PDB file of all heavy atoms in Angstrom:
ATOM      1  N   GLN A1127      69.848 106.990-214.763  1.00  0.00           N
ATOM      2  CA  GLN A1127      70.302 106.098-215.831  1.00  0.00           C
ATOM      3  C   GLN A1127      71.165 105.003-215.225  1.00  0.00           C
ATOM      4  O   GLN A1127      71.990 105.277-214.348  1.00  0.00           O
ATOM      5  CB  GLN A1127      71.109 106.884-216.870  1.00  0.00           C
ATOM      6  CG  GLN A1127      71.441 106.062-218.098  1.00  0.00           C
ATOM      7  CD  GLN A1127      72.578 106.650-218.912  1.00  0.00           C
ATOM      8  OE1 GLN A1127      73.446 107.308-218.376  1.00  0.00           O
ATOM      9  NE2 GLN A1127      72.574 106.394-220.208  1.00  0.00           N
ATOM     10  N   GLY A1128      70.985 103.778-215.690  1.00  0.00           N
ATOM     11  CA  GLY A1128      71.746 102.669-215.145  1.00  0.00           C
ATOM     12  C   GLY A1128      73.238 102.816-215.409  1.00  0.00           C
ATOM     13  O   GLY A1128      74.061 102.580-214.528  1.00  0.00           O
ATOM     14  N   PHE A1129      73.570 103.217-216.616  1.00  0.00           N
ATOM     15  CA  PHE A1129      74.968 103.408-216.984  1.00  0.00           C
ATOM     16  C   PHE A1129      75.609 104.417-216.035  1.00  0.00           C
ATOM     17  O   PHE A1129      76.679 104.191-215.475  1.00  0.00           O
ATOM     18  CB  PHE A1129      75.033 103.909-218.424  1.00  0.00           C
ATOM     19  CG  PHE A1129      76.419 104.033-218.977  1.00  0.00           C
ATOM     20  CD1 PHE A1129      76.965 103.001-219.725  1.00  0.00           C
ATOM     21  CD2 PHE A1129      77.172 105.172-218.785  1.00  0.00           C
ATOM     22  CE1 PHE A1129      78.241 103.099-220.248  1.00  0.00           C
ATOM     23  CE2 PHE A1129      78.449 105.285-219.294  1.00  0.00           C
ATOM     24  CZ  PHE A1129      78.990 104.251-220.030  1.00  0.00           C
ATOM     25  N   ASN A1132      76.664 103.422-212.396  1.00  0.00           N
ATOM     26  CA  ASN A1132      78.031 102.935-212.224  1.00  0.00           C
ATOM     27  C   ASN A1132      79.048 104.030-212.461  1.00  0.00           C
ATOM     28  O   ASN A1132      79.961 104.225-211.680  1.00  0.00           O
ATOM     29  CB  ASN A1132      78.313 101.799-213.210  1.00  0.00           C
ATOM     30  CG  ASN A1132      77.832 100.468-212.693  1.00  0.00           C
ATOM     31  OD1 ASN A1132      77.813 100.243-211.491  1.00  0.00           O
ATOM     32  ND2 ASN A1132      77.440  99.595-213.597  1.00  0.00           N
ATOM     33  N   HIS A1153      80.896  95.173-217.323  1.00  0.00           N
ATOM     34  CA  HIS A1153      80.192  96.060-218.250  1.00  0.00           C
ATOM     35  C   HIS A1153      80.960  97.365-218.477  1.00  0.00           C
ATOM     36  O   HIS A1153      81.725  97.818-217.630  1.00  0.00           O
ATOM     37  CB  HIS A1153      78.826  96.374-217.639  1.00  0.00           C
ATOM     38  CG  HIS A1153      77.886  97.045-218.571  1.00  0.00           C
ATOM     39  ND1 HIS A1153      77.559  98.373-218.449  1.00  0.00           N
ATOM     40  CD2 HIS A1153      77.203  96.588-219.639  1.00  0.00           C
ATOM     41  CE1 HIS A1153      76.698  98.691-219.401  1.00  0.00           C
ATOM     42  NE2 HIS A1153      76.469  97.620-220.136  1.00  0.00           N
ATOM     43  N   SER A1155      80.039 100.371-218.378  1.00  0.00           N
ATOM     44  CA  SER A1155      79.786 101.454-217.425  1.00  0.00           C
ATOM     45  C   SER A1155      80.694 101.330-216.212  1.00  0.00           C
ATOM     46  O   SER A1155      81.122 102.334-215.641  1.00  0.00           O
ATOM     47  CB  SER A1155      78.324 101.439-216.986  1.00  0.00           C
ATOM     48  OG  SER A1155      77.988 100.188-216.453  1.00  0.00           O
ATOM     49  N   GLU A1205      79.634  91.431-211.568  1.00  0.00           N
ATOM     50  CA  GLU A1205      78.220  91.503-211.931  1.00  0.00           C
ATOM     51  C   GLU A1205      77.520  90.276-211.362  1.00  0.00           C
ATOM     52  O   GLU A1205      78.126  89.214-211.228  1.00  0.00           O
ATOM     53  CB  GLU A1205      78.063  91.542-213.451  1.00  0.00           C
ATOM     54  CG  GLU A1205      78.483  92.862-214.060  1.00  0.00           C
ATOM     55  CD  GLU A1205      78.300  92.887-215.570  1.00  0.00           C
ATOM     56  OE1 GLU A1205      77.352  92.273-216.072  1.00  0.00           O
ATOM     57  OE2 GLU A1205      79.125  93.522-216.239  1.00  0.00           O
ATOM     58  N   SER A1209      75.799  89.813-218.753  1.00  0.00           N
ATOM     59  CA  SER A1209      74.801  90.007-219.804  1.00  0.00           C
ATOM     60  C   SER A1209      75.178  89.364-221.126  1.00  0.00           C
ATOM     61  O   SER A1209      74.335  89.174-221.984  1.00  0.00           O
ATOM     62  CB  SER A1209      74.560  91.489-220.012  1.00  0.00           C
ATOM     63  OG  SER A1209      75.743  92.123-220.407  1.00  0.00           O
ATOM     64  N   ASP A1234      77.146  94.432-209.252  1.00  0.00           N
ATOM     65  CA  ASP A1234      76.244  95.068-210.216  1.00  0.00           C
ATOM     66  C   ASP A1234      75.171  94.052-210.577  1.00  0.00           C
ATOM     67  O   ASP A1234      75.433  93.070-211.255  1.00  0.00           O
ATOM     68  CB  ASP A1234      77.057  95.487-211.446  1.00  0.00           C
ATOM     69  CG  ASP A1234      76.190  96.123-212.523  1.00  0.00           C
ATOM     70  OD1 ASP A1234      74.962  95.915-212.502  1.00  0.00           O
ATOM     71  OD2 ASP A1234      76.740  96.816-213.388  1.00  0.00           O
ATOM     72  N   ALA A1236      72.530  94.518-212.413  1.00  0.00           N
ATOM     73  CA  ALA A1236      71.699  95.054-213.486  1.00  0.00           C
ATOM     74  C   ALA A1236      70.751  93.993-214.054  1.00  0.00           C
ATOM     75  O   ALA A1236      69.568  94.236-214.233  1.00  0.00           O
ATOM     76  CB  ALA A1236      72.587  95.614-214.585  1.00  0.00           C
ATOM     77  N   HIS A1237      71.282  92.813-214.319  1.00  0.00           N
ATOM     78  CA  HIS A1237      70.450  91.795-214.946  1.00  0.00           C
ATOM     79  C   HIS A1237      69.846  90.823-213.940  1.00  0.00           C
ATOM     80  O   HIS A1237      68.850  90.187-214.227  1.00  0.00           O
ATOM     81  CB  HIS A1237      71.258  91.025-215.995  1.00  0.00           C
ATOM     82  CG  HIS A1237      71.570  91.847-217.194  1.00  0.00           C
ATOM     83  ND1 HIS A1237      70.752  91.893-218.299  1.00  0.00           N
ATOM     84  CD2 HIS A1237      72.584  92.710-217.444  1.00  0.00           C
ATOM     85  CE1 HIS A1237      71.261  92.734-219.177  1.00  0.00           C
ATOM     86  NE2 HIS A1237      72.368  93.236-218.686  1.00  0.00           N
ATOM     87  N   THR A1266      69.800  97.961-211.927  1.00  0.00           N
ATOM     88  CA  THR A1266      69.094  98.889-212.807  1.00  0.00           C
ATOM     89  C   THR A1266      67.611  98.534-212.861  1.00  0.00           C
ATOM     90  O   THR A1266      67.212  97.415-212.571  1.00  0.00           O
ATOM     91  CB  THR A1266      69.643  98.858-214.246  1.00  0.00           C
ATOM     92  OG1 THR A1266      69.399  97.572-214.798  1.00  0.00           O
ATOM     93  CG2 THR A1266      71.111  99.138-214.285  1.00  0.00           C
ATOM     94  N   THR A1268      65.984  99.170-215.741  1.00  0.00           N
ATOM     95  CA  THR A1268      65.657  99.061-217.169  1.00  0.00           C
ATOM     96  C   THR A1268      65.305  97.638-217.565  1.00  0.00           C
ATOM     97  O   THR A1268      64.813  97.422-218.652  1.00  0.00           O
ATOM     98  CB  THR A1268      66.861  99.487-218.029  1.00  0.00           C
ATOM     99  OG1 THR A1268      68.045  99.086-217.375  1.00  0.00           O
ATOM    100  CG2 THR A1268      66.877 100.949-218.247  1.00  0.00           C
ATOM    101  N   LYS A1269      65.597  96.686-216.704  1.00  0.00           N
ATOM    102  CA  LYS A1269      65.409  95.308-217.122  1.00  0.00           C
ATOM    103  C   LYS A1269      64.114  94.743-216.547  1.00  0.00           C
ATOM    104  O   LYS A1269      63.060  94.941-217.128  1.00  0.00           O
ATOM    105  CB  LYS A1269      66.637  94.490-216.710  1.00  0.00           C
ATOM    106  CG  LYS A1269      67.781  94.667-217.687  1.00  0.00           C
ATOM    107  CD  LYS A1269      68.833  95.616-217.232  1.00  0.00           C
ATOM    108  CE  LYS A1269      69.761  95.986-218.364  1.00  0.00           C
ATOM    109  NZ  LYS A1269      70.734  96.978-217.968  1.00  0.00           N
ATOM    110  N   GLY A1275      66.688 103.718-215.376  1.00  0.00           N
ATOM    111  CA  GLY A1275      67.513 104.186-214.277  1.00  0.00           C
ATOM    112  C   GLY A1275      68.126 103.067-213.474  1.00  0.00           C
ATOM    113  O   GLY A1275      67.998 101.889-213.811  1.00  0.00           O
TER     114      GLY A1275
ATOM    115  N   PHE B 541      75.853 101.069-224.598  1.00  0.00           N
ATOM    116  CA  PHE B 541      75.713 100.154-223.461  1.00  0.00           C
ATOM    117  C   PHE B 541      74.645 100.580-222.481  1.00  0.00           C
ATOM    118  O   PHE B 541      74.724 100.259-221.307  1.00  0.00           O
ATOM    119  CB  PHE B 541      77.049 100.015-222.735  1.00  0.00           C
ATOM    120  CG  PHE B 541      78.137  99.447-223.602  1.00  0.00           C
ATOM    121  CD1 PHE B 541      79.155 100.240-224.088  1.00  0.00           C
ATOM    122  CD2 PHE B 541      78.116  98.111-223.956  1.00  0.00           C
ATOM    123  CE1 PHE B 541      80.144  99.719-224.893  1.00  0.00           C
ATOM    124  CE2 PHE B 541      79.108  97.580-224.763  1.00  0.00           C
ATOM    125  CZ  PHE B 541      80.119  98.380-225.238  1.00  0.00           C
ATOM    126  N   SER B 542      73.675 101.316-222.936  1.00  0.00           N
ATOM    127  CA  SER B 542      72.641 101.733-222.005  1.00  0.00           C
ATOM    128  C   SER B 542      71.288 101.689-222.692  1.00  0.00           C
ATOM    129  O   SER B 542      71.176 101.950-223.888  1.00  0.00           O
ATOM    130  CB  SER B 542      72.943 103.149-221.532  1.00  0.00           C
ATOM    131  OG  SER B 542      71.916 103.587-220.688  1.00  0.00           O
ATOM    132  N   ALA B 543      70.268 101.357-221.927  1.00  0.00           N
ATOM    133  CA  ALA B 543      68.925 101.288-222.482  1.00  0.00           C
ATOM    134  C   ALA B 543      68.532 102.655-223.053  1.00  0.00           C
ATOM    135  O   ALA B 543      68.926 103.692-222.526  1.00  0.00           O
ATOM    136  CB  ALA B 543      67.951 100.870-221.405  1.00  0.00           C
TER     137      ALA B 543
HETATM  138  C1  LIG C1863      75.947  95.080-215.917  1.00  0.00           C
HETATM  139  C2  LIG C1863      75.275  96.309-216.397  1.00  0.00           C
HETATM  140  N1  LIG C1863      75.394  97.467-215.718  1.00  0.00           N
HETATM  141  C3  LIG C1863      74.796  98.581-216.133  1.00  0.00           C
HETATM  142  C4  LIG C1863      74.028  98.627-217.278  1.00  0.00           C
HETATM  143  C5  LIG C1863      73.450  99.921-217.752  1.00  0.00           C
HETATM  144  O1  LIG C1863      72.106 100.027-217.480  1.00  0.00           O
HETATM  145  P1  LIG C1863      71.133 101.005-218.287  1.00  0.00           P
HETATM  146  O2  LIG C1863      70.764 100.302-219.531  1.00  0.00           O
HETATM  147  O3  LIG C1863      69.977 101.172-217.366  1.00  0.00           O
HETATM  148  O4  LIG C1863      71.842 102.276-218.531  1.00  0.00           O
HETATM  149  C6  LIG C1863      73.864  97.456-218.003  1.00  0.00           C
HETATM  150  C7  LIG C1863      73.045  97.469-219.224  1.00  0.00           C
HETATM  151  O5  LIG C1863      73.090  96.766-220.127  1.00  0.00           O
HETATM  152  C8  LIG C1863      74.502  96.278-217.568  1.00  0.00           C
HETATM  153  O6  LIG C1863      74.401  95.143-218.261  1.00  0.00           O
END
Side-chain angles (χ1 to χ4, degrees):
Chain A
Q1127 188 198 29
F1129 185 95
N1132 276 329
H1153 191 253
S1155 56
E1205 288 181 34
S1209 61
D1234 178 340
H1237 290 269
T1266 64
T1268 35
K1269 279 101 193 176
Chain B
F541 299 106
S542 177

